[in-house]
Amino acid sequence: VAPVTVAGVDLLPAPSSPGRRDELGARRAGDPPRGAAVADLETCALLAIAGRLGIAVGAALVVAETAAGEIDEPATEAALLDLGGACADALERAAQASSSGTASLL
């Protein structure tokens, strides 16, 4: 697993933002914005709403589709199962930390 830069493309920048025309053009072309390897279409909105509501939230992503639109279903399923296991472990640690008065997930 290699880290990559992910661009959230589910929230549009303000009309007066520099580079807005460039970002909109890239979205129409189906490419992630400059500097990003992949585009995410859902997470930014969830994070923004959680922030407004004061809700703690986290996100973990699995890249399932290549730039050519191909999906390796067995590899995607395996990655999602691994991610689910890691999330369950993190939640368990959070619950234990909460009950012991420790605030760390590490």
Side-chain angles (χ1 to χ4, degrees):
V1 175
V4 298
T5 300
V6 178
V9 295
D10 49 341
L11 295 177
L12 293 175
S16 60
S17 296
R20 182 170 197 262
R21 182 172 289 156
D22 292 340
E23 287 185 45
L24 292 175
R27 289 182 197 173
R28 278 192 288 270
D31 296 330
R34 282 183 299 236
V38 295
D40 173 56
L41 302 174
E42 300 170 356
T43 308
C44 280
L46 294 173
L47 296 174
I49 290 169
R52 287 184 188 154
L53 297 174
I55 298 170
V57 66
L61 306 172
V62 170
V63 177
E65 187 174 322
T66 68
E70 298 166 346
I71 298 174
D72 180 346
E73 290 188 27
T76 300
E77 183 176 338
L80 289 169
L81 290 171
D82 288 346
L83 178 59
C87 290
D89 291 345
L91 290 171
E92 177 65 27
R93 286 192 306 275
Q96 290 172 354
S98 177
S99 67
S100 70
T102 310
S104 176
L105 291 178
L106 301 176

